[in-house]
Amino acid sequence: MKLSKVLGLSSAFLAVLSFQALAQEVAGTVVDSRSGRPLDRVQVVAEGGAGTRTDTRGRFRITGLTGAQVTLNVALIGYRPLVQQVQVGNTQLVIQLTEMAVNLGEIIVTGTVAGAEKRTLGNSVTTVRAAETQELAPAPDMSNLINSRAPGVVVIPGTGQVGSAPRIRIRGVNSFSLTDQPLIYIDGVRVANDVSTGIVVQAFGSGIAGRLNDLDPDQIESIEIIKGPAASTLYGTEAANGVIQIITKRGKISDRSEIKFGVRMGGQWFMNPEGRIVEPVNLVNGELVSWNPVEQEAALGNKLFRTGFGQGYSLSITGGNPVFNYYAGTTWDRDKGIEPTNQQKRFTGNLNLSITPSSKYDIRTSLGIVRNDINQAFEAGAGGIWFSTIFGDPAQVNTSRRGFIFGPPEYQWYFRQPRQLVNRYTGSVQITHRPNSVLSHRLIVGLDQTEESSEQLNRYLPPEFVEFNSGVARLGLKFSQRRDIQYITADYSGSAAFDVTDNWRSTSSVGAQLYRRRTDLVWAQGDQFPAPDLETVAAAAVRSGFDDYVENTTVGVFMQQQMAFKDRLFLTGAARVDNNSAFGENFDFVVYPKVSAAYVVKEGGEGR
C-alpha cells in the first residue's frame, strides 16, 4: 500500500475520532423563562450520573457522554424541575426554567456583587413584579403600582390631583425631625426622591408634586423593598427608613426581536359630588341656610367638576443573544384632572444594553430620560376650588361671588396658574469581573440629574374680576423657583464564595460606596405687572430673588460574612462604617453592626 494512501486513511480515521470526541458532550445556558436572566448554581445532571452546576453566567458543560441523545435533569431551588431530552454534541443549548409560586431562590439586590437568594436573608424583603402587574392591571404611576402590594409599606396619597405624589413609609415613622422617606435606587444608582415639591406659597405649605411619580411603571421589571434599619449595613446612614430598589427592564436572550405597543385610556371623575361635599351653613335673615355649590352651578349651566380623560402610549423593543442584548422603550402620557387647570404631560425613554465579551466579564449600561409637565389645580395652597367651596358662605349666594369665599370658579381658574416642569436624566454603568469560580467583583458608577422648574403665576386681572382681588394684588405676581438636584454614585463590592466542606459554604463580601448630593437653588419673585399679558419676573415693577446651594457627601465601607449549612441554615454577620459631611467635626464616623439567621424549614413540598 502506498504511503499516501496510508496517510489518507489515517487522517480520515483521526477525523472520525475527533468528531466523535467532540460529539460526546453537551453545553449551553440555563435562564429564567420570564426575564431571560442567566441562573447560576443550577444542577444539570445527565441520565447515567454525569452532571455539573452552572456558573455565574448560567453556563454548563457535560462531557463523556455516549449515544446520540441524552436526558438532562435540571433543578434549582425556587424553580420547577425540568427533564429535557437533547442531542449529544449540541453545545448551544438554552434551557428555560419557570419559577414556582413561592420562590425562595429568587435573587435579591442587596448591595453585594451577585445579590442574594431570599432564603439566605434574615430580614424582610418584598418584591413587586412590576412587569407582570402592568400586564394584568396597569397602574398609571408609581404610587398606584406599589400601593397595597407590599406588606408594611404605607403609601400616603397626595391631594388626588393629577401629578400629585405620595409619601411612602416603611414600617411607620422612624424620625421626629428628619425625613421619613426611604432611599430610592434605580439600577444601583441613588436617585432623588423629594416629596411635596413645587412653589411654597406664604402660609399655605408646599407644592403637591414629587419625584417618585416621574418614573414610568411600564419601564420597570421589578421593585424590591428592604424594610427597616437592617438596610443600613449595606446602604449606609440614610437607609434607616428602608430602601426601594427599582430594576428597569433589560434585554432577553431570544431568536428574534420582540416589539410591543401599548395603549392606555381611561377617565377619572368625582362621583356624586352634590351628595358628598359638606354644605356650608350660615344665618340668612335669621334662619340657618345651607348651600350646595354643585347643584347651584349645575342649575346655572356650569360644571364645577369634569371627567378627566387620561391616555398613554408605549413602544418597546427587546432582544439579544448571550453576548449582547438590549431593551429600548418609550412612553407618552397625558392625563387631565377633574378641574380644568389640572393636567399632566409626561414623556419617558429608557435604553439598557448588556454586553458579555467572555464568561469572566459583563458590562451593563442604563440610560433613562424623563420630561414631566404638571399643571396643578391651585388656590391659596389648598388645591383647586376646594377651599372656596368648603368655606363658602350661603349669605353671599345672591352676590357676584355666588357663595364662593374667594370668588366664583371662573375667576379662580383664570387668576392662579401653578406649574412644574421637570427634565431628568439617570444613567449608570455596571462592570462585573469574575476572574475564577471563587472571586467576583463589581463596580457601579452613575448619575441622577434632575432639573426642576416650579412657578406660580397670578395674572393681571381684567375689570370683571377686579372686585375679587382689589388693590395692588390685582396687578398680579409671579414666583419662579429653579432647583437642580444632582446625585453621584460610586459603588464597589467584591465577594469570595467557596465550599469549606461538603456541608458548609462560605461567602465573604466587602464593599465601599460614595454618594454625593448637590442641590442648587435659584428663586425669584416679581410683583405688579404693568399690563395684561406681561407675565415674566423681569416685567414686574418689584423684583426680588436669591440663590443658594447645599452639598452632602457620604462615604462608607462594609464587610459581611455568611456561612451556609446544607443550603438550609444561613448565618450572616456584617458591619458598616460611615462618614457623612453633615456629621460635623466632632463626630467622625458611625458603625452599623448586623447579625441575622435564616433557616428553610420546608420547600418544594418536601420537609427537612
Side-chain angles (χ1 to χ4, degrees):
M1 183 178 295
K2 295 182 179 181
L3 180 61
S4 58
K5 184 176 294 186
V6 172
L7 292 175
L9 291 174
S10 300
S11 299
F13 180 69
L14 289 174
V16 171
L17 289 178
S18 299
F19 176 79
Q20 289 180 342
L22 290 175
Q24 306 309 304
E25 66 177 10
V26 293
T29 305
V30 182
V31 300
D32 182 288
S33 63
R34 178 177 57 86
S35 65
R37 175 176 59 86
L39 301 174
D40 65 333
R41 295 188 61 79
V42 180
Q43 188 176 41
V44 183
V45 179
E47 192 175 53
T52 185
R53 287 185 180 270
T54 59
D55 61 18
T56 54
R57 294 302 304 163
R59 297 173 177 175
F60 71 92
R61 182 179 299 273
I62 301 175
T63 60
L65 302 176
T66 58
Q69 292 183 327
V70 65
T71 300
L72 298 181
N73 292 275
V74 186
L76 177 64
I77 293 173
Y79 289 82
R80 299 185 185 281
L82 177 68
V83 178
Q84 183 171 324
Q85 193 173 64
V86 300
Q87 197 78 21
V88 172
N90 190 342
T91 59
Q92 301 296 322
L93 292 170
V94 177
I95 298 176
Q96 299 183 351
L97 293 185
T98 304
E99 292 177 347
M100 291 182 176
V102 178
N103 184 7
L104 294 177
E106 181 178 8
I107 300 297
I108 302 298
V109 177
T110 64
T112 58
V113 178
E117 296 180 1
K118 269 189 176 181
R119 59 193 280 112
T120 70
L121 301 178
N123 56 287
S124 177
V125 178
T126 298
T127 302
V128 178
R129 300 188 181 284
E132 295 179 2
T133 300
Q134 286 298 96
E135 291 182 359
L136 297 174
D141 51 48
M142 287 292 295
S143 56
N144 283 279
L145 178 62
I146 296 175
N147 197 18
S148 301
R149 292 186 171 92
V153 179
V154 178
V155 179
I156 304 173
T159 64
Q161 298 179 31
V162 167
S164 65
R167 301 185 73 90
I168 297 179
R169 289 178 179 169
I170 299 178
R171 290 180 173 173
V173 179
N174 298 307
S175 175
F176 287 107
S177 58
L178 301 178
T179 177
D180 57 2
Q181 297 301 290
L183 297 183
I184 306 292
Y185 286 76
I186 299 178
D187 294 331
V189 174
R190 188 182 295 187
V191 301
N193 183 33
D194 298 44
V195 297
S196 299
T197 68
I199 289 295
V200 179
V201 183
Q202 299 145 351
F204 291 104
S206 61
I208 65 169
R211 301 286 60 85
L212 183 63
N213 276 351
D214 289 342
L215 309 178
D216 177 22
D218 287 331
Q219 306 293 336
I220 297 172
E221 181 66 33
S222 63
I223 301 171
E224 297 171 3
I225 302 172
I226 305 175
K227 304 172 185 177
S232 296
T233 303
L234 294 178
Y235 292 95
T237 298
E238 300 165 282
N241 298 314
V243 173
I244 297 179
Q245 280 275 5
I246 297 173
I247 296 93
T248 59
K249 291 182 177 179
R250 295 198 171 274
K252 299 179 181 180
I253 300 174
S254 177
D255 294 335
R256 62 185 67 183
S257 297
E258 181 181 279
I259 299 175
K260 288 186 177 181
F261 177 72
V263 178
R264 172 185 63 86
M265 291 187 179
Q268 61 171 319
W269 62 94
F270 186 11
M271 183 180 295
N272 186 28
E274 63 277 3
R276 298 173 65 189
I277 289 182
V278 177
E279 299 182 11
V281 178
N282 202 353
L283 283 171
V284 179
N285 298 324
E287 296 183 0
L288 283 176
V289 177
S290 63
W291 171 60
N292 192 308
V294 180
E295 292 180 349
Q296 170 191 282
E297 293 302 300
L300 295 173
N302 303 325
K303 294 187 68 174
L304 202 56
F305 303 106
R306 68 178 180 181
T307 297
F309 178 65
Q311 56 184 316
Y313 306 91
S314 64
L315 177 66
S316 67
I317 179 170
T318 183
N321 53 53
V323 176
F324 174 78
N325 59 71
Y326 58 89
Y327 170 86
T330 183
T331 61
W332 182 84
D333 298 289
R334 181 165 186 177
D335 296 289
K336 297 181 179 181
I338 61 175
E339 293 190 58
T341 56
N342 181 212
Q343 60 182 340
Q344 174 180 241
K345 291 183 289 186
R346 181 180 65 186
F347 169 82
T348 65
N350 195 270
L351 174 64
N352 287 337
L353 303 176
S354 298
I355 304 172
T356 308
S358 73
S359 60
K360 294 185 177 182
Y361 292 92
D362 62 63
I363 303 171
R364 294 183 178 182
T365 64
S366 175
L367 175 63
I369 300 174
V370 176
R371 181 178 174 85
N372 202 1
D373 188 353
I374 306 171
N375 286 74
Q376 305 167 356
F378 200 96
E379 178 215 284
I385 61 170
W386 295 100
F387 196 90
S388 278
T389 300
I390 295 172
F391 295 96
D393 186 359
Q396 299 189 44
V397 167
N398 295 321
T399 69
S400 58
R401 293 181 183 272
R402 302 205 300 272
F404 297 93
I405 190 172
F406 290 128
E410 59 271 21
Y411 154 71
Q412 298 175 52
W413 292 330
Y414 171 85
F415 181 45
R416 294 184 178 89
Q417 297 295 322
R419 182 188 183 194
Q420 184 178 86
L421 179 63
V422 174
N423 289 302
R424 187 171 186 175
Y425 312 91
T426 305
S428 67
V429 176
Q430 175 177 314
I431 302 173
T432 304
H433 177 217
R434 293 168 294 273
N436 51 52
S437 61
V438 174
L439 299 176
S440 60
H441 56 143
R442 180 206 64 197
L443 175 66
I444 300 176
V445 293
L447 171 69
D448 180 53
Q449 180 75 41
T450 303
E451 300 171 357
E452 181 184 279
S453 178
S454 304
E455 66 179 44
Q456 182 193 335
L457 171 66
N458 291 2
R459 288 199 171 108
Y460 186 104
L461 291 179
E464 64 269 25
F465 291 149
V466 169
E467 64 175 301
F468 306 122
N469 206 351
S470 59
V472 175
R474 72 180 179 85
L475 301 178
L477 61 84
K478 185 175 185 178
F479 298 98
S480 183
Q481 176 180 284
R482 170 71 179 263
R483 284 204 317 161
D484 290 344
I485 308 169
Q486 182 187 80
Y487 263 109
I488 296 175
T489 299
D491 184 342
Y492 171 83
S493 61
S495 292
F498 57 92
D499 293 325
V500 180
T501 67
D502 291 339
N503 294 328
W504 287 94
R505 182 172 179 81
S506 169
T507 303
S508 303
S509 302
V510 297
Q513 294 90 26
L514 180 145
Y515 305 113
R516 175 171 293 172
R517 171 177 168 138
R518 180 183 171 108
T519 302
D520 291 275
L521 175 65
V522 178
W523 180 88
Q525 179 176 336
D527 295 84
Q528 304 176 31
F529 298 123
D533 299 326
L534 295 176
E535 298 178 345
T536 65
V537 172
V542 181
R543 299 183 295 272
S544 60
F546 71 88
D547 70 320
D548 197 5
Y549 77 92
V550 178
E551 191 171 77
N552 180 272
T553 303
T554 299
V555 177
V557 295
F558 75 87
M559 295 180 292
Q560 178 174 287
Q561 175 62 46
Q562 183 179 85
M563 298 298 298
F565 179 69
K566 291 187 176 180
D567 209 26
R568 292 285 182 173
L569 174 64
F570 303 92
L571 305 174
T572 304
R576 180 186 179 92
V577 179
D578 262 9
N579 196 355
N580 188 281
S581 59
F583 287 170
E585 295 181 358
N586 298 323
F587 196 85
D588 293 332
F589 59 86
V590 62
V591 179
Y592 297 96
K594 170 186 173 182
V595 177
S596 68
Y599 181 68
V600 181
V601 178
K602 183 179 180 181
E603 62 185 2
E606 178 186 2
R608 298 287 177 91

